[in-house]
Amino acid sequence: MDQLIDEIRQAQRITVLTGAGVSTASGIPDFRSSNGIWTEDGSREYYMSSDYFRHDPQDFWTKYKDIFQLKLLGSYHPNEVHRFLSNLETLGKEVTVITQNVDGLHQRAGSSKVIEYHGSLTTSTCPACGSIYDADYINSSQVPICERETCQTVLKPDIVLFGDAITEHDRAEAIIDKADLVLVLGTSLLVMPFNFLPEYAWTRKIPTALINREATPKDRLFHYVIHNDLIDVIQHFEDQIIKNQPLK
């Protein structure tokens, strides 16, 4: 852990990959292990797919709001991990967060460079005219519809649905190319193609570090591996890195 602290201190450009373990520390459930329709074999892929959205957008929105608990989105707040990554920027470091999470908490914590690899729950877009609507509008009706009189199309959530293409992978690799250090926080690295990113960093001979409660199938790709509670580790980093250095 002390060696990794030194790596973070020395690195100017840090790329951080974050997963569900960062959001669960804010009380947001890991949807893949929560109760209900999300855990039924095959159901989540079927109902949360672009095909089902096109087939029955009204029922899609009913299930989407239930699964992702959109009404509760505003009640969640950034935690120590989000704030630590934002605070690294106050030290003059260039920090880019590439997150699997769709809750927008990294931005709310103050991180200025965030790539939402799987999209965002906080907005939806009209497939016809491209108008973008925020969470308040999305929650104002059971099935959100574009308010333009000439449009009136059912909105599509700005998350990556099953069947949608991942559009941010090449951009994520380009960010990793410029990094002095790649930190991976709170992810089991089971979801493709996100889990290819640490391997890309390894092939580019960039120092890599993983902090996760449990071992992952990709542990071998990291120079530093810490299996521990993420909040406990980050609080230690905060004490050693942020509080012991002057702001720039």
Side-chain angles (χ1 to χ4, degrees):
M1 194 177 294
D2 289 340
Q3 290 177 328
L4 179 52
I5 287 171
D6 287 340
E7 288 274 10
I8 296 172
R9 283 174 174 157
Q10 294 172 21
Q12 179 59 33
R13 293 181 299 274
I14 302 174
T15 298
V16 187
L17 312 182
T18 68
V22 174
S23 288
T24 55
S26 286
I28 298 176
D30 179 353
F31 300 111
R32 287 182 173 79
S33 62
S34 61
N35 294 327
I37 199 172
W38 191 250
T39 58
E40 297 172 11
D41 288 345
S43 292
R44 61 188 174 95
E45 288 87 351
Y46 176 67
Y47 290 120
M48 292 298 99
S49 68
S50 54
D51 283 344
Y52 192 71
F53 171 79
R54 289 189 291 267
H55 169 70
D56 192 342
Q58 286 78 16
D59 190 55
F60 168 89
W61 269 104
T62 297
K63 290 178 168 59
Y64 175 81
K65 287 187 173 185
D66 179 56
I67 289 171
F68 289 105
Q69 303 176 55
L70 288 194
K71 291 289 187 184
L72 299 177
L73 190 61
S75 65
Y76 298 117
H77 303 285
N79 60 54
E80 288 89 340
V81 182
H82 301 105
R83 289 190 290 270
F84 171 73
L85 299 179
S86 176
N87 287 340
L88 285 176
E89 294 188 37
T90 68
L91 301 180
K93 297 184 182 297
E94 184 178 329
V95 180
T96 302
V97 178
I98 304 170
T99 185
Q100 292 176 279
N101 301 327
V102 292
D103 47 52
L105 291 183
H106 284 295
Q107 294 93 323
R108 286 176 58 188
S111 287
S112 63
K113 297 180 181 178
V114 180
I115 296 175
E116 294 177 303
Y117 194 85
H118 290 146
S120 175
L121 290 175
T122 62
T123 58
S124 291
T125 300
C126 175
C129 70
S131 297
I132 299 173
Y133 294 86
D134 63 16
D136 288 339
Y137 184 85
I138 296 165
N139 280 320
S140 66
S141 61
Q142 184 60 38
V143 179
I145 295 174
C146 182
E147 62 183 355
R148 294 181 60 182
E149 291 184 6
T150 58
C151 195
Q152 299 292 298
T153 303
V154 175
L155 304 183
K156 188 174 187 289
D158 287 338
I159 67 165
V160 177
L161 300 175
F162 290 98
D164 285 343
I166 298 290
T167 61
E168 296 284 22
H169 191 82
D170 289 346
R171 183 181 171 206
E173 286 190 345
I175 294 295
I176 288 172
D177 268 329
K178 300 176 183 178
D180 302 318
L181 174 67
V182 173
L183 289 176
V184 179
L185 308 178
T187 173
S188 58
L189 293 173
L190 295 175
V191 177
M192 298 186 294
F194 186 86
N195 63 358
F196 294 153
L197 295 176
E199 190 159 353
Y200 180 77
W202 178 266
T203 63
R204 305 293 288 178
K205 296 181 170 54
I206 299 166
T208 53
L210 170 71
I211 305 171
N212 195 53
R213 185 184 292 276
E214 299 174 351
T216 80
K218 303 284 187 176
D219 280 12
R220 60 182 175 78
L221 299 174
F222 294 91
H223 299 89
Y224 305 94
V225 176
I226 299 173
H227 294 151
N228 207 332
D229 180 82
L230 182 58
I231 294 294
D232 289 345
V233 175
I234 292 301
Q235 285 177 335
H236 180 65
F237 285 3
E238 178 84 18
D239 290 340
Q240 297 299 312
I241 299 171
I242 304 298
K243 295 180 181 179
N244 285 342
Q245 290 197 36
L247 302 184
K248 292 184 180 180

